[in-house]
């Protein structure tokens, strides 16, 4: 892949992401739009972030399930469904992944999803005023009586969350296996000093991922160690073709029909 000078991620970073891509171990949903790379693991904490569309236009609704213990996107969704159906899917994945923290984007259609998951009394929801400094801070019903859950994006914090996402991808602190997410990054460019999708392309997976990534600090458990990073930097300076191998556990699943671990 040869990136132009306007791409949000450099060509080298995108090529590295392509090497990380994996075929999902399972899919589910009406059209197989939910892709699973790893099932829930006992004791792990998960975040599910979403970008919500109307469900019948050019944009997609998207979800990412991030394992905050291992800094991996272990499941994602991209499809066209009405917001009320997306809220059901979001809660279903939430319960499958150890009552994951749910965080939809609070755009126009995201308000419907936020209202639905609050009414359903899902037990683990992100509220900006409560969780801004700590995504897992507890709260009472009175604390959020007049608030909707989710993450509000605007011109200022949009740049901030995208900058953080670029950093954790470039330094390999967050592992992404999804080919459709990588494809979006190939057409995600700088235009008029704003990072956005090229005309006729989408960035819904990227925005949803940036929201989820912003809720915690990736520790980089799957990143290169310091020596490997140094060697990679030196190789780049000398224009060498040395390929570095990442560290981290490989996942194997003998039966893809096994359900995720339930709480």
């Amino acid at each position: 892949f040869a990136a132009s000078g306007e791409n949000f991620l450099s060509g080298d970073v995108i090529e590295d992401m392509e090497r990380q891509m994996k075929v999902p171990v399972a899919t589910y949903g009406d059209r197989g739009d939910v892709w699973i790379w790893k099932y829930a693991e006992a004791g792990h904490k998960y975040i599910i972030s979403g970008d919500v569309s109307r469900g019948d236009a050019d944009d997609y609704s998207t979800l990412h399930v991030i394992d905050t213990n291992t800094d991996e996107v272990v499941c994602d969704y991209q499809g066209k469904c009405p917001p009320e159906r997306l809220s059901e899917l979001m809660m279903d994945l939430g319960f499958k992944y150890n009552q994951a923290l749910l965080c939809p984007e609070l755009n126009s259609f995201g308000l419907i999803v936020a209202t639905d998951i609050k009414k359903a009394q899902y037990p683990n929801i992100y509220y900006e005023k409560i969780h801004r400094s700590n995504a897992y801070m507890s709260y009472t019903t009175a604390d959020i009586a007049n608030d909707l859950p989710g993450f509000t994006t605007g011109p200022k914090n949009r740049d901030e969350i995208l900058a953080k996402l670029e950093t954790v991808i470039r330094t390999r602190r967050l592992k992404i296996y999804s080919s459709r997410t990588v494809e979006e990054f190939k057409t995600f460019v700088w235009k008029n000093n704003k990072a956005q999708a090229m005309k006729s392309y989408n960035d819904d997976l990227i925005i949803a991922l940036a929201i989820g990534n912003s809720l915690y600090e990736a520790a980089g458990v799957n990143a290169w160690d310091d020596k490997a990073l140094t060697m990679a930097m030196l190789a780049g300076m000398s224009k060498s073709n040395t390929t570095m191998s990442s560290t981290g556990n490989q996942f194997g699943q003998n039966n893809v029909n096994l359900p995720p671990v339930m709480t």
Side-chain angles (χ1 to χ4, degrees):
F1 170 72
S4 71
E6 296 181 345
N7 279 80
F8 180 73
L9 296 180
S10 71
D12 289 344
V13 173
I14 291 178
E15 287 176 356
D16 186 45
M17 294 176 72
E18 288 183 315
R19 288 190 288 270
Q20 295 179 37
M21 292 189 311
K22 297 180 182 180
V23 176
V25 298
T27 64
Y28 84 95
D30 296 338
R31 300 177 181 175
D33 291 331
V34 178
W35 293 1
I36 300 170
W37 289 274
K38 289 189 178 183
Y39 295 103
E41 297 185 44
H44 285 212
K45 289 185 177 181
Y46 297 87
I47 289 172
I48 302 180
S49 55
D51 185 26
V52 187
S53 72
R54 188 172 66 188
D56 59 358
D58 293 334
D59 291 337
Y60 289 90
S61 288
T62 57
L63 300 172
H64 289 282
V65 182
I66 302 174
D67 185 333
T68 64
N69 291 77
T70 60
D71 301 331
E72 299 172 279
V73 180
V74 295
C75 174
D76 72 16
Y77 164 79
Q78 181 187 53
K80 295 184 178 181
C81 66
E84 57 271 15
R85 174 70 186 95
L86 187 70
S87 59
E88 294 174 1
L89 176 60
M90 201 172 194
M91 288 186 286
D92 179 54
L93 287 172
F95 283 116
K96 284 178 167 63
Y97 281 92
N98 301 349
Q99 292 190 6
L101 179 71
L102 303 189
C103 181
E105 183 186 13
L106 282 177
N107 57 12
S108 56
F109 300 106
L111 296 173
I112 299 174
V113 174
T115 302
D116 285 349
I117 61 178
K118 183 175 182 178
K119 284 184 176 179
Q121 297 183 347
Y122 180 84
N124 194 12
I125 312 175
Y126 178 87
Y127 286 89
E128 283 185 302
K129 78 171 187 179
I130 302 293
H131 296 131
R132 190 170 286 109
S133 60
N134 183 350
Y136 296 103
M137 187 177 295
S138 60
Y139 56 86
T140 66
T141 303
D143 291 331
I144 46 87
N146 300 315
D147 297 295
L148 284 177
F151 187 95
T152 305
T153 55
K156 182 178 180 180
N157 70 344
R158 185 180 187 275
D159 289 345
E160 291 174 353
I161 64 176
L162 285 172
K164 181 176 180 180
L165 180 62
E166 187 275 338
T167 299
V168 299
I169 292 175
R170 174 170 44 82
T171 58
R172 303 198 75 180
R173 288 158 58 192
L174 181 68
K175 297 279 275 189
I176 300 167
Y177 306 123
S178 175
S179 60
R180 53 192 178 189
T181 300
V182 175
E183 288 301 312
E184 279 199 3
F185 273 113
K186 289 181 180 180
T187 55
F188 195 62
V189 299
W190 289 103
K191 184 177 180 181
N192 299 324
N193 294 322
K194 179 183 178 181
Q196 57 189 295
M198 294 171 60
K199 187 176 180 180
S200 302
Y201 291 91
N202 300 98
D203 59 11
D204 311 290
L205 282 163
I206 294 173
I207 299 303
L209 183 58
I211 291 171
N213 176 69
S214 72
L215 303 188
Y216 83 110
E217 184 64 38
V221 296
N222 287 307
W224 284 329
D225 59 29
D226 291 340
K227 180 179 179 181
L229 272 174
T230 301
M231 293 297 293
M233 290 173 64
L234 290 173
M237 291 175 187
S238 62
K239 298 184 179 180
S240 166
N241 292 323
T242 303
T243 300
M244 303 306 299
S245 298
S246 62
T247 59
N249 295 329
Q250 296 297 316
F251 174 71
Q253 183 70 31
N254 294 326
N255 187 347
V256 298
N257 295 317
L258 287 175
V261 176
M262 301 289 286
T263 55

